[in-house]
């Protein structure tokens, strides 16, 4: 980083400024926070309010929320603005780390560095999430810096770079537990470094390996136990014969297999299926052409001149993929953005192929030149299209804000979408104490708990059977909604009062201008 700034300060300053502009642009187009963001902000607010025990009870991996709270405290910001400031800083760090890696691997080739800067700044899968309040930017930033330092250590055998690699690998685990995996495989990397020439290397590497192995295994066990024991207890309450994590793991696999008996062939089939799912999501995040360019760069050795960094890069990529496949098998789902670490690991190689294509433009025949221009044009168009991140959730925010402005602040409100409750200005305790879903809506009707709420806000979509059925139920029980919000593609937000009577409804319509 220092070397890049020393050699090209304007480039670094331009990247920082570009990140601020891009984040501001994405927030302008998508001002509605994501669902997970409500949890992180609520925990951060609890921490600021001094309710640390409650924050830890609600969310046992609170480090991202701690950083949000720290930024809010330091700059006297509300937690939502603090989260966006933090994520802009982390996104900037991520892009700088990416360019530093490419600069190091290219021996500071000016054109390749410029290509890398443009690629990472406009990479659609980064742009897509710039307005989200998610832990991923912290994880990916630390992940890439750890990769940068391990490449530097391969070139220099400097202990400072070794420490930098381990520190950032550990920091990445504060954001996402996947970082623990890369700490766990660190002893293998240390074994690879056994031939390096710094003093007392055998004692240092042996001691580091032992400490890292014990600490990472303990941390991984604690995380898995903390995350999944609630699922074990829930299964036991439901009457399922599940006594521990191994039983839960086998039950989840059996659920994925359906009626098919659990066998070695069935598990192999499931592994192939999960591999296909991970590969598909990875290609989606890579925008296909970038994946092709990365594979070409690797196969034709455009990047790695020495076997050790090539091997390390490959291990990082394989470790990511194996972790995602295991996650998919165990949890029966895979969020697309979880493949981002794999995507960025591959993307590191793409600028080298793009550089080769640009170099060949003046030498190849007309057809090859046309094909090259076509590929570059597609990348440009995909990147520009990726800047269109306009939200489709404004109607949810508007419904929540209407509740905050027009209904009593002490009114009990239930919705199937937590964003409504957030924008209605309810406190963190209210946001975290309840689940908000259509299933719970239905359960409240069955148990008559629905009577404990003064107002109900239904977020739904026309022609979606479950939400439309709930809308009809609410209409039958409470009459017309007192306020409605419509959005594109048949989405809607209906607000009902549970104290319905005709006179009240007519007066409310008149007062609210509906």
């Amino acid at each position: 980083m220092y070397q890049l700034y020393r050699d090209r300060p304007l480039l670094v300053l331009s990247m920082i400024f570009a990140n601020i502009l891009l984040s501001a642009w994405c927030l302008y187009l998508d001002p509605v926070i994501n669902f997970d963001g409500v949890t992180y902000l609520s925990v951060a607010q609890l921490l600021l309010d001094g309710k640390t025990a409650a924050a830890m009870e609600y969310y046992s991996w609170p480090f991202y929320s701690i950083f949000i709270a720290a930024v809010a405290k330091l700059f006297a910001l509300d937690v939502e603005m603090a989260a966006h400031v933090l994520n802009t800083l982390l996104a900037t760090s991520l892009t700088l780390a990416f360019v530093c890696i490419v600069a190091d691997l290219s021996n500071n080739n000016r054109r390749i560095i410029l290509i890398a800067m443009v690629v990472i700044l406009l990479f659609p899968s980064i742009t897509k999430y710039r307005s989200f309040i998610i832990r991923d930017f912290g994880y990916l930033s630390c992940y890439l810096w750890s990769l940068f330092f391990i490449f530097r250590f391969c070139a220099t055998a400097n202990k400072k770079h070794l420490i930098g690699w381990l520190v950032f690998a550990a920091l990445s685990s504060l954001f996402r537990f996947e970082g623990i995996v890369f700490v766990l495989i660190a002893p293998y990397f240390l074994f690879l470094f056994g031939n390096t020439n710094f003093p007392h290397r055998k004692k240092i590497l042996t001691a580091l390996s032992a400490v890292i192995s014990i600490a990472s295994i303990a941390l991984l066990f604690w995380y898995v136990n903390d995350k999944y024991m609630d699922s074990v207890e829930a299964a036991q309450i439901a009457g399922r014969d599940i006594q521990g994590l191994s039983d839960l793991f086998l039950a989840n696999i059996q659920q994925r297999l359906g009626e098919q008996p659990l066998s070695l062939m069935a598990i192999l089939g499931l592994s192939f299926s999960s591999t296909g799912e991970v590969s598909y999501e990875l290609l989606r995040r890579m925008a296909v052409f970038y994946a092709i360019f990365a594979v070409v760069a690797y196969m034709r050795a455009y990047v790695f001149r020495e076997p050790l960094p090539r091997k390390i890069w490959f291990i990082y990529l394989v470790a990511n993929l194996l972790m995602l496949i295991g996650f998919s098998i165990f949890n029966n789902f895979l969020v697309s953005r979880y493949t981002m670490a794999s995507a960025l690991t591959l993307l590191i190689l793409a600028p080298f192929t793009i550089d080769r294509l640009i170099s060949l433009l003046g030498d190849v025949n007309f057809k090859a030149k046309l094909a090259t221009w076509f590929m570059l044009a597609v990348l440009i168009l995909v990147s520009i299209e990726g800047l269109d991140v306009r939200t489709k959730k404004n109607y949810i925010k508007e419904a929540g804000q209407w509740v905050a402005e027009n209904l009593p602040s002490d009114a009990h409100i239930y919705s199937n979408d937590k964003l409504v409750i957030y924008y209605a200005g309810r406190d963190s305790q209210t946001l975290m104490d309840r689940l908000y879903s259509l299933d719970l809506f239905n359960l409240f009707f069955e148990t008559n708990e629905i009577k404990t709420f003064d107002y109900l806000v239904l977020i739904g979509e026309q022609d979606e059977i479950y939400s439309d059925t709930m809308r009809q139920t609410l209409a039958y029980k409470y009459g017309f909604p007192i306020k409605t919000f419509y959005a594109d593609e048949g989405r809607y937000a209906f607000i009902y009062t549970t104290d319905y009577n005709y006179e009240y409804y007519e007066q409310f319509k008149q007062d609210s201008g509906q």
Side-chain angles (χ1 to χ4, degrees):
M1 172 63 188
Y2 171 74
Q3 182 178 349
L4 186 66
Y5 179 75
R6 184 194 63 193
D7 297 341
R8 297 180 173 85
L10 288 178
L11 179 78
V12 173
L13 293 174
S14 298
M15 287 182 64
I16 294 171
F17 185 64
N19 270 288
I20 295 171
L21 282 180
L22 283 168
S23 293
W25 169 258
C26 292
L27 282 172
Y28 171 74
L29 291 182
D30 186 9
V32 185
I33 70 171
N34 52 303
F35 190 83
D36 289 346
V38 175
T39 300
Y40 302 132
L41 296 183
S42 299
V43 173
Q45 189 61 58
L46 287 170
L47 291 168
L48 287 172
D49 294 340
K51 300 176 181 178
T52 306
M56 290 296 293
E57 181 182 349
Y58 287 128
Y59 201 73
S60 59
W61 208 257
F63 304 104
Y64 178 53
S65 294
I66 290 172
F67 290 130
I68 293 174
V71 172
K73 189 77 171 178
L74 184 62
F75 297 105
L77 301 171
D78 65 77
V79 289
E80 184 176 338
M81 181 56 67
H84 289 310
V85 169
L86 175 62
N87 268 15
T88 301
L89 292 172
L90 293 172
T92 303
S93 174
L94 183 158
T95 55
L96 287 170
F98 182 89
V99 173
C100 283
I101 291 171
V102 173
D104 194 59
L105 294 176
S106 67
N107 293 318
N108 289 307
N109 182 294
R110 183 174 180 273
R111 188 167 70 181
I112 295 178
I113 290 172
L114 288 172
I115 292 170
M117 181 185 74
V118 174
V119 165
I120 191 61
L121 283 173
L122 298 179
F123 188 48
S125 293
I126 295 293
T127 307
K128 177 182 174 66
Y129 297 112
R130 278 185 179 270
S131 62
F132 283 42
I133 297 173
I134 50 177
R135 302 170 291 165
D136 300 55
F137 285 112
Y139 169 64
L140 294 171
S141 173
C142 293
Y143 170 84
L144 286 178
W145 280 118
S146 74
L147 197 54
F148 167 74
F149 279 109
I150 198 172
F151 284 145
R152 289 300 299 148
F153 180 74
C154 289
T156 65
N158 189 320
K159 283 184 287 187
K160 292 180 180 178
H161 296 144
L162 179 67
I163 293 169
W165 160 51
L166 293 172
V167 166
F168 278 103
L171 283 175
S172 71
S173 66
L174 297 182
F175 292 94
R176 296 197 65 89
F177 94 97
E178 292 94 316
I180 302 171
V181 174
F182 293 98
V183 177
L184 185 60
I185 62 175
Y188 173 73
F189 288 131
L190 294 174
F191 172 76
L192 292 178
F193 301 147
N195 294 325
T196 53
N197 296 317
F198 63 83
H200 309 295
R201 63 184 182 279
K202 290 185 178 179
K203 292 181 179 179
I204 292 173
L205 296 183
T206 302
L208 271 176
S209 296
V211 171
I212 289 169
S213 297
I214 293 169
S216 55
I217 290 172
L219 189 59
L220 188 62
F221 177 81
W222 174 81
Y223 176 84
V224 172
N225 189 69
D226 182 75
K227 182 177 178 64
Y228 291 105
M229 280 310 293
D230 286 345
S231 299
V232 172
E233 292 176 10
Q236 290 173 346
I237 292 171
R240 299 173 66 188
D241 184 20
I242 293 177
Q243 303 303 319
L245 292 176
S246 58
D247 291 338
L248 181 66
F249 177 66
L250 292 174
N252 284 344
I253 291 180
Q254 188 61 64
Q255 183 180 358
R256 185 87 175 264
L257 293 174
E259 297 298 324
Q260 186 179 358
L262 185 62
S263 64
L264 178 60
M265 290 304 296
I267 293 175
L268 286 174
L270 186 57
S271 299
F272 282 121
S273 173
S274 295
T275 301
E277 182 182 5
V278 168
S279 301
Y280 169 74
E281 293 297 343
L282 178 58
L283 284 175
R284 284 184 62 203
R285 293 278 65 84
M286 286 293 294
V288 183
F289 268 123
Y290 284 121
I292 295 171
F293 289 166
V295 171
V296 169
Y298 183 81
M299 298 301 294
R300 297 194 177 184
Y302 290 162
V303 188
F304 302 108
R305 305 300 181 189
E306 300 294 332
L308 185 56
R310 182 186 181 93
K311 183 180 293 187
I312 287 171
W313 177 89
F314 187 76
I315 292 169
Y316 260 75
L317 181 64
V318 170
N320 269 303
L321 295 176
L322 290 176
M323 183 166 52
L324 290 169
I325 292 167
F327 180 91
S328 174
I329 292 172
F330 183 78
N331 292 279
N332 292 335
F333 75 92
L334 181 70
V335 178
S336 184
R337 73 171 188 269
Y338 291 174
T339 62
M340 279 298 297
S342 304
L344 290 174
T345 306
L346 279 170
L347 191 67
I348 288 168
L349 308 189
F352 294 86
T353 301
I354 296 173
D355 176 65
R356 290 299 180 102
L357 288 173
I358 293 173
S359 298
L360 293 172
L361 281 175
D363 301 329
V364 296
N365 60 45
F366 175 75
K367 289 183 178 179
K369 186 183 294 187
L370 187 63
T372 300
W373 275 116
F374 172 75
M375 286 187 287
L376 294 175
V378 168
L379 287 181
I380 293 169
L381 290 173
V382 167
S383 298
I384 293 174
E385 192 274 335
L387 292 173
D388 184 7
V389 292
R390 279 174 287 194
T391 185
K392 296 180 180 179
K393 300 181 293 185
N394 266 331
Y395 71 106
I396 300 177
K397 182 177 181 178
E398 291 168 1
Q401 290 175 333
W402 186 91
V403 168
E405 294 167 2
N406 293 276
L407 301 183
S409 59
D410 60 347
H412 290 95
I413 299 167
Y414 187 77
S415 174
N416 58 306
D417 194 306
K418 191 186 292 187
L419 287 177
V420 172
I421 310 300
Y422 173 78
Y423 284 111
R426 276 19 185 196
D427 59 47
S428 299
Q429 208 83 26
T430 302
L431 285 163
M432 300 297 288
D433 275 343
R434 286 193 180 276
L435 296 174
Y436 297 89
S437 69
L438 277 173
D439 288 333
L440 209 56
F441 232 139
N442 188 55
L443 178 63
F444 287 163
F445 272 111
E446 293 176 357
T447 60
N448 283 327
E449 190 174 343
I450 202 75
K451 294 179 180 179
T452 64
F453 299 101
D454 301 307
Y455 299 93
L456 307 172
V457 185
L458 175 68
I459 304 301
E461 187 174 341
Q462 290 178 357
D463 300 326
E464 200 282 311
I465 296 175
Y466 203 1
S467 58
D468 274 351
T469 300
M470 185 57 64
R471 176 172 57 84
Q472 293 166 12
T473 302
L474 289 169
Y476 175 78
K477 190 171 183 65
Y478 300 114
F480 295 107
I482 60 174
K483 186 67 176 177
T484 58
F485 296 86
Y486 289 99
D488 295 337
E489 301 176 9
R491 297 182 177 90
Y492 56 78
F494 286 2
I495 303 174
Y496 297 87
T497 174
T498 58
D499 186 25
Y500 173 78
N501 62 67
Y502 182 78
E503 290 78 17
Y504 174 89
Y505 173 65
E506 289 299 322
Q507 185 63 45
F508 204 104
K509 278 178 62 179
Q510 184 178 347
D511 293 343
S512 61
Q514 186 174 358

